[in-house]
mmCIF file with all atom_site columns, all heavy atoms in Angstrom:
data_model
loop_
_atom_site.group_PDB
_atom_site.id
_atom_site.type_symbol
_atom_site.label_atom_id
_atom_site.label_alt_id
_atom_site.label_comp_id
_atom_site.label_asym_id
_atom_site.label_entity_id
_atom_site.label_seq_id
_atom_site.pdbx_PDB_ins_code
_atom_site.Cartn_x
_atom_site.Cartn_y
_atom_site.Cartn_z
_atom_site.occupancy
_atom_site.B_iso_or_equiv
_atom_site.pdbx_formal_charge
_atom_site.auth_seq_id
_atom_site.auth_comp_id
_atom_site.auth_asym_id
_atom_site.auth_atom_id
_atom_site.pdbx_PDB_model_num
ATOM   1  N  N   . CYS A 1 68  ? 16.017 3.937  -20.034 1.00 0.00 ? 68  CYS A N   1
ATOM   2  C  CA  . CYS A 1 68  ? 15.338 3.567  -21.280 1.00 0.00 ? 68  CYS A CA  1
ATOM   3  C  C   . CYS A 1 68  ? 15.812 4.182  -22.462 1.00 0.00 ? 68  CYS A C   1
ATOM   4  O  O   . CYS A 1 68  ? 16.298 5.284  -22.468 1.00 0.00 ? 68  CYS A O   1
ATOM   5  C  CB  . CYS A 1 68  ? 13.797 4.027  -20.974 1.00 0.00 ? 68  CYS A CB  1
ATOM   6  S  SG  . CYS A 1 68  ? 12.733 3.980  -22.425 1.00 0.00 ? 68  CYS A SG  1
ATOM   7  N  N   . ARG A 1 70  ? 14.423 5.356  -24.927 1.00 0.00 ? 70  ARG A N   1
ATOM   8  C  CA  . ARG A 1 70  ? 13.712 6.438  -25.585 1.00 0.00 ? 70  ARG A CA  1
ATOM   9  C  C   . ARG A 1 70  ? 13.631 7.642  -24.554 1.00 0.00 ? 70  ARG A C   1
ATOM   10 O  O   . ARG A 1 70  ? 13.717 8.807  -25.004 1.00 0.00 ? 70  ARG A O   1
ATOM   11 C  CB  . ARG A 1 70  ? 12.332 5.947  -26.017 1.00 0.00 ? 70  ARG A CB  1
ATOM   12 C  CG  . ARG A 1 70  ? 12.389 5.156  -27.243 1.00 0.00 ? 70  ARG A CG  1
ATOM   13 C  CD  . ARG A 1 70  ? 11.007 4.665  -27.635 1.00 0.00 ? 70  ARG A CD  1
ATOM   14 N  NE  . ARG A 1 70  ? 10.969 3.474  -28.471 1.00 0.00 ? 70  ARG A NE  1
ATOM   15 C  CZ  . ARG A 1 70  ? 10.052 2.690  -28.576 1.00 0.00 ? 70  ARG A CZ  1
ATOM   16 N  NH1 . ARG A 1 70  ? 8.945  2.773  -27.862 1.00 0.00 ? 70  ARG A NH1 1
ATOM   17 N  NH2 . ARG A 1 70  ? 10.223 1.579  -29.393 1.00 0.00 ? 70  ARG A NH2 1
ATOM   18 N  N   . CYS A 1 71  ? 13.183 7.379  -23.338 1.00 0.00 ? 71  CYS A N   1
ATOM   19 C  CA  . CYS A 1 71  ? 13.010 8.467  -22.411 1.00 0.00 ? 71  CYS A CA  1
ATOM   20 C  C   . CYS A 1 71  ? 13.927 8.555  -21.270 1.00 0.00 ? 71  CYS A C   1
ATOM   21 O  O   . CYS A 1 71  ? 13.863 9.563  -20.558 1.00 0.00 ? 71  CYS A O   1
ATOM   22 C  CB  . CYS A 1 71  ? 11.603 8.268  -21.824 1.00 0.00 ? 71  CYS A CB  1
ATOM   23 S  SG  . CYS A 1 71  ? 11.431 7.008  -20.611 1.00 0.00 ? 71  CYS A SG  1
ATOM   24 N  N   . LEU A 1 72  ? 14.897 7.756  -21.230 1.00 0.00 ? 72  LEU A N   1
ATOM   25 C  CA  . LEU A 1 72  ? 16.067 7.799  -20.322 1.00 0.00 ? 72  LEU A CA  1
ATOM   26 C  C   . LEU A 1 72  ? 15.654 7.581  -18.859 1.00 0.00 ? 72  LEU A C   1
ATOM   27 O  O   . LEU A 1 72  ? 16.486 7.618  -17.978 1.00 0.00 ? 72  LEU A O   1
ATOM   28 C  CB  . LEU A 1 72  ? 16.778 9.031  -20.366 1.00 0.00 ? 72  LEU A CB  1
ATOM   29 C  CG  . LEU A 1 72  ? 17.304 9.599  -21.760 1.00 0.00 ? 72  LEU A CG  1
ATOM   30 C  CD1 . LEU A 1 72  ? 18.008 10.942 -21.713 1.00 0.00 ? 72  LEU A CD1 1
ATOM   31 C  CD2 . LEU A 1 72  ? 18.251 8.512  -22.277 1.00 0.00 ? 72  LEU A CD2 1
ATOM   32 N  N   . LEU A 1 130 ? 13.693 -0.721 -22.756 1.00 0.00 ? 130 LEU A N   1
ATOM   33 C  CA  . LEU A 1 130 ? 12.525 0.206  -22.737 1.00 0.00 ? 130 LEU A CA  1
ATOM   34 C  C   . LEU A 1 130 ? 11.789 0.126  -21.419 1.00 0.00 ? 130 LEU A C   1
ATOM   35 O  O   . LEU A 1 130 ? 11.610 -0.830 -20.980 1.00 0.00 ? 130 LEU A O   1
ATOM   36 C  CB  . LEU A 1 130 ? 11.667 -0.253 -23.934 1.00 0.00 ? 130 LEU A CB  1
ATOM   37 C  CG  . LEU A 1 130 ? 12.041 -0.004 -25.354 1.00 0.00 ? 130 LEU A CG  1
ATOM   38 C  CD1 . LEU A 1 130 ? 11.073 -0.622 -26.294 1.00 0.00 ? 130 LEU A CD1 1
ATOM   39 C  CD2 . LEU A 1 130 ? 12.463 1.527  -25.653 1.00 0.00 ? 130 LEU A CD2 1
ATOM   40 N  N   . CYS A 1 131 ? 11.326 1.302  -21.058 1.00 0.00 ? 131 CYS A N   1
ATOM   41 C  CA  . CYS A 1 131 ? 10.607 1.273  -19.796 1.00 0.00 ? 131 CYS A CA  1
ATOM   42 C  C   . CYS A 1 131 ? 9.272  0.576  -19.995 1.00 0.00 ? 131 CYS A C   1
ATOM   43 O  O   . CYS A 1 131 ? 8.574  -0.022 -19.161 1.00 0.00 ? 131 CYS A O   1
ATOM   44 C  CB  . CYS A 1 131 ? 10.406 2.712  -19.202 1.00 0.00 ? 131 CYS A CB  1
ATOM   45 S  SG  . CYS A 1 131 ? 9.398  3.751  -20.358 1.00 0.00 ? 131 CYS A SG  1
ATOM   46 N  N   . ARG A 1 132 ? 8.695  0.699  -21.207 1.00 0.00 ? 132 ARG A N   1
ATOM   47 C  CA  . ARG A 1 132 ? 7.561  -0.092 -21.639 1.00 0.00 ? 132 ARG A CA  1
ATOM   48 C  C   . ARG A 1 132 ? 7.519  -0.122 -23.176 1.00 0.00 ? 132 ARG A C   1
ATOM   49 O  O   . ARG A 1 132 ? 8.129  0.699  -23.858 1.00 0.00 ? 132 ARG A O   1
ATOM   50 C  CB  . ARG A 1 132 ? 6.301  0.632  -21.066 1.00 0.00 ? 132 ARG A CB  1
ATOM   51 C  CG  . ARG A 1 132 ? 6.043  2.080  -21.525 1.00 0.00 ? 132 ARG A CG  1
ATOM   52 C  CD  . ARG A 1 132 ? 4.902  2.644  -20.797 1.00 0.00 ? 132 ARG A CD  1
ATOM   53 N  NE  . ARG A 1 132 ? 4.322  3.539  -21.643 1.00 0.00 ? 132 ARG A NE  1
ATOM   54 C  CZ  . ARG A 1 132 ? 3.467  4.710  -21.190 1.00 0.00 ? 132 ARG A CZ  1
ATOM   55 N  NH1 . ARG A 1 132 ? 3.296  4.883  -20.017 1.00 0.00 ? 132 ARG A NH1 1
ATOM   56 N  NH2 . ARG A 1 132 ? 2.855  5.502  -22.036 1.00 0.00 ? 132 ARG A NH2 1
ATOM   57 N  N   . CYS A 1 135 ? 6.773  3.113  -24.978 1.00 0.00 ? 135 CYS A N   1
ATOM   58 C  CA  . CYS A 1 135 ? 7.235  4.321  -24.511 1.00 0.00 ? 135 CYS A CA  1
ATOM   59 C  C   . CYS A 1 135 ? 7.255  5.452  -25.566 1.00 0.00 ? 135 CYS A C   1
ATOM   60 O  O   . CYS A 1 135 ? 7.735  5.212  -26.658 1.00 0.00 ? 135 CYS A O   1
ATOM   61 C  CB  . CYS A 1 135 ? 8.703  4.082  -24.067 1.00 0.00 ? 135 CYS A CB  1
ATOM   62 S  SG  . CYS A 1 135 ? 9.489  5.594  -23.550 1.00 0.00 ? 135 CYS A SG  1
ATOM   63 N  N   . ASN A 1 147 ? 5.581  10.367 -21.741 1.00 0.00 ? 147 ASN A N   1
ATOM   64 C  CA  . ASN A 1 147 ? 4.687  9.385  -21.169 1.00 0.00 ? 147 ASN A CA  1
ATOM   65 C  C   . ASN A 1 147 ? 3.947  10.099 -20.060 1.00 0.00 ? 147 ASN A C   1
ATOM   66 O  O   . ASN A 1 147 ? 2.901  9.547  -19.616 1.00 0.00 ? 147 ASN A O   1
ATOM   67 C  CB  . ASN A 1 147 ? 5.723  8.371  -20.504 1.00 0.00 ? 147 ASN A CB  1
ATOM   68 C  CG  . ASN A 1 147 ? 6.514  7.531  -21.501 1.00 0.00 ? 147 ASN A CG  1
ATOM   69 O  OD1 . ASN A 1 147 ? 5.890  7.284  -22.639 1.00 0.00 ? 147 ASN A OD1 1
ATOM   70 N  ND2 . ASN A 1 147 ? 7.602  7.320  -21.258 1.00 0.00 ? 147 ASN A ND2 1
HETATM 71 ZN ZN1 . ZN  B 2 .   ? 10.827 4.986  -21.692 1.00 0.00 ? 201 ZN  B ZN1 1
#
Side-chain angles (χ1 to χ4, degrees):
C68 170
R70 289 185 200 151
C71 73
L72 304 179
L130 290 177
C131 61
R132 56 189 218 204
C135 172
N147 296 316

